[in-house]
């Protein structure tokens, strides 16, 4: 079975600081994908970034980067130069090859303080 | 805007009733996924359709059913509703059933009283 663990229920960060949101995963499959989604208070789920298990480079998308450490089974999201609009719930998710569903972690609530 | 649309945005109903949630995938996407988000269970996969056919089933109750129509829109039917069915229901879509990113709609917030 696949499992995603996000150990930080909440984080508080000052505006313009960088922030790292932790995600560890558990799977015996060799081929899988890792995703991060953002859920603002309005409720929608916004895709942020994707990392494939065979990707050699860490994924980056603008201010978002994924610190992928395969041996440690971790896929931490790094947000550089945080902004007030980054305040939201952040979910890490995984999908293994052949499976259709995303398995989500419990999420981290990030609050950016001015 | 992900391009996935869901209606209605909010739904308030009573126990024992039946409701239908509607989803239109992004243009060109063939797969539709349904997820339920509740406080106690988190985000749970319910069911997936690909080009009109059921492809995968998750933690979907027997009281719940879904289908995907020829125009690729999908409906999730929830019947004999219970208080515990109150949740945010998401539809997501992707082009195929592969490893593509799933793009989520805005969700339907269901409240069962």
């Amino acid at each position: 079975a696949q499992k995603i663990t996000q150990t930080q229920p909440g984080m508080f960060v000052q505006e313009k600081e960088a922030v790292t949101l932790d995600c560890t995963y558990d799977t015996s499959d060799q081929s899988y994908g890792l995703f991060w989604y953002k859920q603002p208070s309005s409720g929608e789920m916004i895709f942020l970034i994707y990392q494939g298990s065979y990707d050699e480079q860490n994924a980056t998308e603008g201010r978002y980067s994924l610190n992928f450490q395969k041996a440690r089974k971790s896929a931490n999201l790094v947000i550089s130069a945080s902004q007030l609009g980054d305040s939201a719930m952040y979910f890490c998710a995984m999908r293994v090859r052949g499976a259709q569903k995303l398995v989500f972690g419990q999420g981290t609530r990030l609050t950016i303080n001015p | 805007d992900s391009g996935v649309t869901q209606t209605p945005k909010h739904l308030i109903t009573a126990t024992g009733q039946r409701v239908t949630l509607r989803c239109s995938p992004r243009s060109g996407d063939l797969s539709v996924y349904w997820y339920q988000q509740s406080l106690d269970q988190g985000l749970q996969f319910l069911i997936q359709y690909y080009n009109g056919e059921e492809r995968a089933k998750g933690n979907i109750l027997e009281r719940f059913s879904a289908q995907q129509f020829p125009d690729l829109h999908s409906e999730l039917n929830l019947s004999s509703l219970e208080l515990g069915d109150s949740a945010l229901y998401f539809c997501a879509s992707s082009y195929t059933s592969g490893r593509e990113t799933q793009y989520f709609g805005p969700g339907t917030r269901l409240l069962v009283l």
Side-chain angles (χ1 to χ4, degrees):
Chain A
Q2 294 81 45
K3 187 177 180 183
I4 295 282
T5 302
Q6 295 180 252
T7 57
Q8 306 152 309
M11 284 195 68
F12 295 83
V13 173
Q14 287 298 118
E15 191 179 8
K16 298 180 185 175
E17 288 183 354
V19 57
T20 298
L21 304 181
D22 294 341
C23 171
T24 57
Y25 59 92
D26 186 23
T27 181
S28 57
D29 290 85
Q30 297 302 308
S31 179
Y32 50 88
L34 296 156
F35 303 80
W36 277 91
Y37 287 85
K38 172 184 178 182
Q39 186 176 37
S41 56
S42 50
E44 73 266 33
M45 293 285 286
I46 303 167
F47 166 70
L48 295 178
I49 197 167
Y50 165 81
Q51 179 85 43
S53 60
Y54 293 116
D55 294 342
E56 294 186 355
Q57 306 268 359
N58 284 343
T60 61
E61 288 285 349
R63 293 187 300 113
Y64 304 108
S65 61
L66 203 151
N67 184 0
F68 181 47
Q69 298 188 44
K70 199 169 181 176
R72 294 185 176 184
K73 293 191 173 179
S74 75
N76 298 339
L77 177 71
V78 180
I79 306 174
S80 63
S82 58
Q83 303 170 356
L84 295 178
D86 293 332
S87 294
M89 281 288 287
Y90 288 81
F91 291 94
C92 180
M94 174 172 64
R95 182 160 75 174
V96 300
R97 188 180 67 168
Q100 313 307 322
K101 67 178 182 180
L102 287 170
V103 174
F104 284 87
Q106 288 301 104
T108 295
R109 182 171 297 281
L110 175 63
T111 301
I112 308 298
N113 295 315
Chain B
D1 187 346
S2 67
V4 180
T5 60
Q6 288 187 248
T7 56
K9 289 202 72 170
H10 302 276
L11 202 47
I12 302 174
T13 188
T15 54
Q17 295 297 304
R18 172 189 167 95
V19 297
T20 297
L21 313 184
R22 194 180 194 279
C23 166
S24 292
R26 293 186 319 158
S27 177
D29 283 357
L30 302 175
S31 269
V32 169
Y33 310 78
W34 287 97
Y35 290 85
Q36 178 194 60
Q37 184 180 29
S38 61
L39 283 174
D40 53 345
Q41 299 285 337
L43 270 154
Q44 300 273 324
F45 168 73
L46 295 179
I47 197 165
Q48 181 220 355
Y49 279 80
Y50 174 73
N51 204 19
E53 294 189 2
E54 182 184 306
R55 186 60 70 93
K57 230 171 184 177
N59 301 323
I60 188 166
L61 300 171
E62 283 193 13
R63 301 182 285 108
F64 296 1
S65 65
Q67 58 185 130
Q68 186 179 27
F69 295 86
D71 67 352
L72 300 177
H73 91 271
S74 178
E75 293 181 357
L76 179 68
N77 300 296
L78 315 176
S79 61
S80 303
L81 285 167
E82 302 175 0
L83 297 178
D85 298 327
S86 296
L88 185 54
Y89 290 84
F90 285 108
C91 167
S93 76
S94 66
Y95 175 57
T96 69
S97 281
R99 287 194 289 170
E100 298 90 352
T101 297
Q102 294 179 19
Y103 290 92
F104 282 70
T108 292
R109 195 172 294 275
L110 173 66
L111 179 60
V112 182
L113 299 175

